[in-house]
């Protein structure tokens, strides 16, 4: 057997594995006019390619059609978000018609035997909330808890999986530290404050989900958890102490403090002051991992030799990131110590080259499989994204979809990668032949 054939063997996934794709409301629905992103887009000049979310993929009206497509593509699960600003367009005012809309959406998935995974917060806030200071305002935590209760009261009889907040640390940093999401502040102290509020909000929302299900007497036994973006921080030179230490610091500041915070109930500095919250401790039944890429880290980047080393280590790139599947395995395994079931809630690639997307899917699923073989209780994979969509401040030029969207006609066209993914799902495995064909 040649070396190549040895490397490529069939790999099988566990029975009952969840397979699907993910979307978020603002990126696909269209006309989310009551959130802070919409308002910001209207100011002009903020989105790289000068697009605005507008009618997006019009998934709000075309969801039945999209779910037919998902069914044809063999998915058995689907992750999507509920848009808070539709449900509560003005403070304390519930829009029952929009709640009914989401009931139909969830029911449409169930009718097709597709398991819904519902995200409560995916980057967008109602305008009224943003006007009150957004995630810098401690009261936002209570507003989020109240919204959680309303969603669960109204729809909780249908929902088996909840993600409270999508990428809390990234959204806090992007909005208040880095300034690439509205309100575009660049103040690290604000980032720490918002990060802390997201952590507290998660704890309260998690408890609210379970309390409400119980109070309502629903028979669903939902699993709820956080969705954490896990960037792999890789020292540029693993033999240099400063690089290793700097990578560790970045990992602490963006990954560990939040996950450890839920595990222990303690809000570590600089986000908190070490306060311990009982309701936060153990506030999860699952961990959602979003993984895209690594970041090479060194405090010595003004040294041209270090830069050169960094560039020489760089692998294949996508329209947005470097491709680095090895980091995926490492980040997945870093969650093992928490002892909770793990779901890959996002993993995907922005590219116009669909062969590259196929390769990305295969190389990343290989890491998923390796993590399972090494004992991680990893129960599902949701590709980002089902369809091309509004990629936040980068607009529509980024193409993440298994399904291509023609934004003029709204035509949906599954790419070859969608068919490769369908075949993997069908067999619950990747075959040697598939590896050979694409890698
Ligand atoms: C977000 C998505 C986004 C994707 C690709 C994740 O950070 O949850 O909304 O489209 O990454 O950048």
């Amino acid at each position: 057997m040649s070396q190549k054939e040895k490397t490529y063997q069939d790999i099988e996934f566990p029975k009952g594995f969840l397979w699907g794709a993910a979307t978020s409301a603002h990126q696909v629905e269209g006309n989310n006019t009551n959130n802070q992103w919409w308002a910001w887009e209207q100011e002009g000049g903020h989105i790289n390619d000068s697009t605005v979310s507008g009618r997006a993929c019009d998934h709000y009206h075309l969801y039945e059609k999209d779910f037919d497509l998902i069914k044809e593509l063999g998915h058995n699960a689907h992750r999507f978000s509920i848009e808070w600003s539709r449900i509560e367009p003005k403070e304390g005012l519930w829009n029952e018609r929009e709640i009914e809309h989401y009931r139909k959406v969830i029911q449409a998935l169930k009718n097709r035997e597709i398991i819904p995974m519902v995200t409560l917060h995916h980057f967008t806030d109602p305008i009224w909330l943003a006007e009150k200071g957004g995630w810098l305002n401690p009261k936002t935590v209570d507003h989020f808890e109240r919204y959680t209760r309303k969603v669960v009261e109204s729809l909780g009889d249908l929902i088996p999986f909840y993600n409270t907040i999508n990428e809390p640390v990234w959204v806090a940093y992007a909005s208040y530290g880095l300034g690439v999401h509205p309100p575009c502040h660049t103040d690290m102290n604000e980032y720490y404050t918002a990060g802390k509020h997201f952590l507290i909000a998660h704890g309260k929302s998690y408890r609210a989900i379970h309390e409400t299900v119980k109070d309502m007497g629903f028979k669903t036994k939902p699993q709820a958890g956080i969705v954490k973006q896990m960037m792999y921080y890789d020292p540029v030179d693993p033999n240099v102490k400063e690089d290793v230490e700097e990578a560790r610091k970045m990992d602490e500041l963006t990954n560990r403090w939040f996950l450890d915070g839920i595990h222990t109930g303690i809000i570590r500095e600089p986000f908190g002051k070490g306060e311990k919250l009982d309701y936060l401790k153990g506030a999860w039944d699952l961990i959602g991992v979003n993984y895209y890429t690594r970041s090479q880290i060194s405090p010595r980047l003004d040294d041209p030799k270090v830069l050169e080393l960094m560039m020489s280590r760089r692998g294949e790139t996508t329209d947005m990131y470097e491709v680095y599947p090895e980091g995926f395995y490492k980040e997945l395994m870093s969650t093992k110590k928490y002892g909770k079931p793990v779901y890959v809630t996002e993993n995907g690639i922005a590219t116009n080259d669909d062969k590259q997307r196929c390769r990305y899917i295969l190389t990343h699923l290989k890491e998923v499989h390796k993590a399972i073989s090494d004992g991680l209780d990893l129960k599902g994979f949701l590709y980002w994204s089902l369809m091309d969509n509004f990629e936040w401040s980068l607009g529509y030029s980024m193409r993440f979809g298994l399904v291509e969207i023609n934004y003029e006609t709204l035509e949906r066209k599954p790419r070859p990668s969608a068919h490769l993914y369908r075949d993997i799902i069908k067999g619950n495995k990747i075959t040697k032949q598939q590896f050979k064909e694409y890698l």
Side-chain angles (χ1 to χ4, degrees):
M1 209 187 259
S2 78
Q3 189 54 40
K4 225 175 175 182
E5 280 170 340
K6 243 197 233 163
T7 319
Y8 301 134
Q9 282 173 357
D10 287 8
I11 57 173
E12 276 198 41
F13 290 84
K15 248 180 143 186
F17 198 70
L18 293 194
W19 291 105
T23 63
S24 91
H26 191 70
Q27 294 178 273
V28 297
E29 282 182 350
N31 293 309
N32 275 308
T33 57
N34 284 319
N35 71 38
Q36 93 285 26
W37 265 86
W38 181 276
W40 188 61
E41 291 160 30
Q42 308 317 306
E43 289 173 12
H46 295 306
I47 310 298
N48 268 21
D49 61 6
S50 305
T51 53
V52 289
S53 58
R55 72 172 174 172
C57 311
D58 201 17
H59 178 68
Y60 185 83
H61 295 109
L62 299 177
Y63 67 91
E64 293 264 7
K65 200 171 154 184
D66 290 334
F67 296 164
D68 283 343
L69 196 53
I70 292 178
K71 187 75 194 164
E72 273 165 47
L73 294 172
H75 300 195
N76 58 31
H78 181 62
R79 173 175 179 242
F80 69 98
S81 73
I82 288 187
E83 176 62 31
W84 185 357
S85 65
R86 285 191 189 272
I87 305 263
E88 192 180 3
K90 298 252 174 335
E91 185 177 352
L93 190 109
W94 304 110
N95 187 330
E96 298 295 337
R97 209 170 40 84
E98 293 290 11
I99 294 174
E100 195 45 37
H101 167 80
Y102 286 111
R103 173 165 280 279
K104 286 188 194 144
V105 168
I106 300 170
Q107 195 58 59
L109 287 169
K110 294 209 146 197
N111 293 345
R112 291 163 178 80
E113 293 175 335
I114 297 166
I115 296 170
M117 186 178 274
V118 173
T119 307
L120 296 174
H121 186 277
H122 196 125
F123 293 3
T124 54
D125 300 321
I127 290 174
W128 62 263
L129 191 91
E131 284 172 348
K132 288 175 167 253
W135 288 88
L136 298 178
N137 182 350
K139 289 216 175 81
T140 289
V141 169
D142 304 322
H143 291 302
F144 185 64
E145 184 186 347
R146 189 178 57 172
Y147 154 70
T148 300
R149 287 187 195 276
K150 181 69 185 175
V151 171
V152 181
E153 261 168 45
S154 315
L155 306 171
D157 56 323
L158 297 177
I159 303 177
F161 289 104
Y162 292 89
N163 302 154
T164 54
I165 299 158
N166 179 70
E167 303 190 347
V169 182
W170 165 244
V171 72
Y173 183 55
S175 314
Y176 301 102
L178 187 64
V180 296
H181 285 197
C184 301
H185 296 180
T186 49
D187 179 333
M188 288 304 273
N189 287 322
E190 288 193 7
Y191 158 46
Y192 300 145
T193 304
K196 177 175 82 179
H197 290 155
F198 273 117
L199 180 55
I200 296 173
H202 164 75
K204 291 200 169 181
S205 173
Y206 171 85
R207 300 290 167 204
I209 290 167
H210 285 297
E211 280 165 23
T212 311
V213 165
K214 200 163 159 239
D215 290 350
M216 298 293 292
F218 292 148
K219 293 208 174 54
T220 41
K221 289 205 169 55
Q223 293 179 40
I226 194 74
V227 166
K228 183 71 192 66
Q229 199 226 91
M230 304 293 281
M231 170 73 83
Y232 175 55
Y233 293 101
D234 195 13
V236 172
D237 187 339
N239 298 313
V240 172
K241 243 172 58 195
E242 293 106 295
D243 291 7
V244 173
E245 180 50 21
E246 189 70 8
R248 192 203 58 77
K249 267 199 228 153
M250 290 302 297
D251 187 46
E252 162 64 19
L253 265 185
T254 49
N255 294 332
R256 297 308 136 202
W257 77 276
F258 200 95
L259 294 177
D260 286 356
I262 302 176
H263 187 56
T264 60
I266 297 171
I267 312 181
R268 283 208 288 260
E269 287 191 29
F271 297 87
K273 293 194 172 69
E275 49 274 65
K276 191 162 190 216
L277 306 175
D278 285 345
Y279 60 82
L280 179 61
K281 186 176 176 186
W284 51 9
D285 316 307
L286 62 86
I287 304 174
V289 171
N290 292 357
Y291 176 84
Y292 288 92
T293 188
R294 74 165 164 183
S295 176
Q296 293 197 58
I297 301 292
S298 169
R300 307 172 296 131
L301 290 180
D302 45 2
D303 178 345
K305 284 219 180 78
V306 178
L307 269 182
E308 211 177 289
L309 175 62
M310 187 172 141
M311 292 319 285
S312 71
R313 295 173 84 224
R314 239 177 119 78
E316 181 186 346
T317 51
T318 72
D319 289 350
M320 272 171 75
Y321 317 113
E322 181 193 4
V323 178
Y324 194 70
E326 297 89 329
F328 195 12
Y329 171 80
K330 291 185 173 142
E331 289 310 320
L332 285 170
M333 292 309 279
S334 78
T335 63
K336 194 174 171 204
K337 65 173 183 185
Y338 301 119
K340 296 288 166 188
V342 174
Y343 292 82
V344 174
T345 34
E346 287 181 31
N347 173 242
I349 174 174
T351 183
N352 275 308
D353 171 357
D354 197 55
K355 281 228 167 79
Q356 192 187 21
R357 190 181 330 276
C358 293
R359 276 203 307 280
Y360 188 98
I361 292 174
L362 291 180
T363 52
H364 285 75
L365 280 176
K366 211 163 155 229
E367 302 298 320
V368 166
H369 185 266
K370 195 168 156 211
I372 297 171
S373 309
D374 290 345
L376 187 70
D377 186 15
L378 205 172
K379 292 186 173 306
F381 180 88
L382 298 144
Y383 177 82
W384 184 269
S385 177
L386 173 64
M387 53 190 137
D388 294 336
N389 59 48
F390 182 67
E391 179 50 31
W392 307 110
S393 59
L394 300 181
Y396 284 111
S397 10
M398 294 300 143
R399 299 277 182 166
F400 272 97
L402 291 171
V403 176
E404 183 184 346
I405 299 285
N406 178 329
Y407 291 108
E408 297 291 309
T409 61
L410 293 178
E411 190 201 343
R412 276 83 166 130
K413 193 164 152 213
R415 295 191 163 105
S417 53
H419 295 136
L420 168 66
Y421 191 48
R422 176 197 60 198
D423 295 344
I424 294 170
I425 298 172
K426 193 161 175 227
N428 206 33
K429 66 177 180 198
I430 305 178
T431 63
K432 192 156 75 179
Q433 285 72 21
Q434 284 164 332
F435 278 129
K436 271 201 216 151
E437 192 178 336
Y438 292 98
L439 302 192

